[in-house]
Amino acid sequence: PVYFRILSLLNLRPPHLMEFSRLSIEGMPVSKRKIKPLIEQGLVSGFDDVRLPTLRGLKRRGIVPEAIKQFVFQQGFSKVESIVDFSLVESVNRKYLDPRVKRYYFVPDPVRLVVENAPKRTVKLPLHPNASMGDRTIHTASTFFVPRQDVQKMKAGDVFRLKGLYNVKITETGDPVRASYVGDEIIPESAKIQWTTEETIPLKIIVPGLLFKGEMFNPESLHEMQGYSEKAVADIPPGEIVQFERVGFARLEKHNNDYIAIFTHK
């Protein structure tokens, strides 16, 4: 009332005021008052820390501007204090990324796979179901790297498919895993596993989690996923978002000569 009284005395046009509540995200502080102490105490790296819902943090994480805008429109204005889950942001972002980002193979926690009687192949794998986005060429021999978690679930005699290549049957578990080539025809019930050849790029994927659990800071809010990506990843410019098949979307960075990716979401 005092504000409007002053405007009236000064013959100034009174504006229309609309009040709405703050939109909060579960486990992620949105207030600079809460974020600044985290930076000062070294608990986060800065305003571009990928665990923060700042514009710089969201950009590094691979959240595109169109998704942020659409998310805000979906929430609308409310006078009721609301706390939303970050998965809502991810859901909107996924719709923008899925039709336009290229797909590659990344093998987390790799184990060597040696395939007996493996045919040497030169294969062209599509970068996306949309054929206009092109493909990449990979030369294969008898040695591959596959995810340890996948082959640990298998035993001698099990058959799986090297995705986009051919089928192999495990003859000996361990490290390396030994297998034999058993044909090209797709077997509907068999597992399909991503792979790399010996021409790989060591890659670390940084996986952000929730900064807070309740009111408590979560010291385990940042994880790392170590593994190998296919060689074609070395030609991708830093800042580009890709999809690692069976892993998720990630935004690529290069620090000195090391390749790093920020996990966006599945």
Side-chain angles (χ1 to χ4, degrees):
V2 175
Y3 172 66
F4 283 110
R5 175 61 177 160
I6 293 173
L7 292 177
S8 175
L9 293 172
L10 295 174
N11 293 318
L12 296 176
R13 178 181 58 84
H16 172 69
L17 299 183
M18 180 174 62
E19 297 179 356
F20 54 90
S21 65
R22 180 195 300 275
L23 175 65
S24 298
I25 301 177
E26 181 70 33
M28 303 174 76
V30 296
S31 168
K32 284 187 291 185
R33 176 177 57 85
K34 294 182 179 179
I35 293 175
K36 192 174 180 182
L38 298 176
I39 297 173
E40 292 172 344
Q41 296 170 34
L43 297 175
V44 298
S45 59
F47 282 104
D48 65 347
D49 192 289
V50 294
R51 294 166 291 178
L52 295 176
T54 58
L55 291 179
R56 289 166 62 186
L58 293 173
K59 179 181 179 180
R60 278 195 70 205
R61 189 164 178 163
I63 306 298
V64 296
E66 304 96 313
I68 298 173
K69 184 177 180 179
Q70 184 61 36
F71 169 73
V72 172
F73 284 160
Q74 286 182 358
Q75 300 308 306
F77 293 106
S78 173
K79 292 187 178 182
V80 179
E81 187 76 21
S82 59
I83 301 177
V84 301
D85 194 279
F86 192 71
S87 62
L88 296 178
V89 180
E90 296 175 346
S91 177
V92 177
N93 196 61
R94 189 178 296 108
K95 293 177 182 178
Y96 285 97
L97 294 184
D98 195 54
R100 72 188 197 191
V101 305
K102 297 176 181 178
R103 302 181 181 183
Y104 296 88
Y105 291 162
F106 169 77
V107 177
D109 190 15
V111 62
R112 189 182 298 271
L113 170 71
V114 179
V115 181
E116 183 182 355
N117 298 325
K120 291 186 177 181
R121 296 279 175 88
T122 297
V123 293
K124 287 191 174 183
L125 300 177
L127 290 169
H128 195 274
N130 181 351
S132 67
M133 295 181 68
D135 50 40
R136 73 273 196 199
T137 301
I138 302 179
H139 304 284
T140 71
S142 60
T143 301
F144 301 87
F145 290 98
V146 293
R148 188 180 304 272
Q149 186 177 15
D150 285 325
V151 294
Q152 279 181 337
K153 301 174 183 176
M154 302 180 187
K155 59 184 184 302
D158 286 351
V159 175
F160 66 91
R161 185 173 185 82
L162 294 172
K163 200 171 188 296
L165 191 58
Y166 51 63
N167 306 316
V168 299
K169 178 188 286 188
I170 295 178
T171 56
E172 183 181 332
T173 58
D175 191 354
V177 176
R178 299 190 179 276
S180 58
Y181 164 74
V182 289
D184 295 344
E185 186 175 347
I186 294 177
I187 303 172
E189 301 299 322
S190 66
K192 297 173 180 61
I193 297 176
Q194 76 272 30
W195 48 274
T196 65
T197 64
E198 289 187 293
E199 291 187 313
T200 63
I201 300 294
L203 181 68
K204 176 174 67 176
I205 298 182
I206 298 173
V207 184
L210 295 180
L211 262 179
F212 285 86
K213 290 185 176 180
E215 297 296 320
M216 300 295 294
F217 177 79
N218 177 18
E220 298 180 352
S221 56
L222 205 61
H223 300 277
E224 292 183 359
M225 193 187 306
Q226 299 280 355
Y228 294 148
S229 70
E230 56 181 275
K231 190 178 179 181
V233 170
D235 298 324
I236 301 173
E240 186 166 326
I241 302 169
V242 300
Q243 182 178 5
F244 289 122
E245 297 196 35
R246 299 182 69 238
V247 176
F249 296 95
R251 182 178 177 274
L252 297 174
E253 295 184 352
K254 191 173 182 181
H255 298 178
N256 298 322
N257 292 320
D258 296 327
Y259 292 90
I260 295 174
I262 310 297
F263 185 77
T264 306
H265 49 68
K266 287 189 174 293

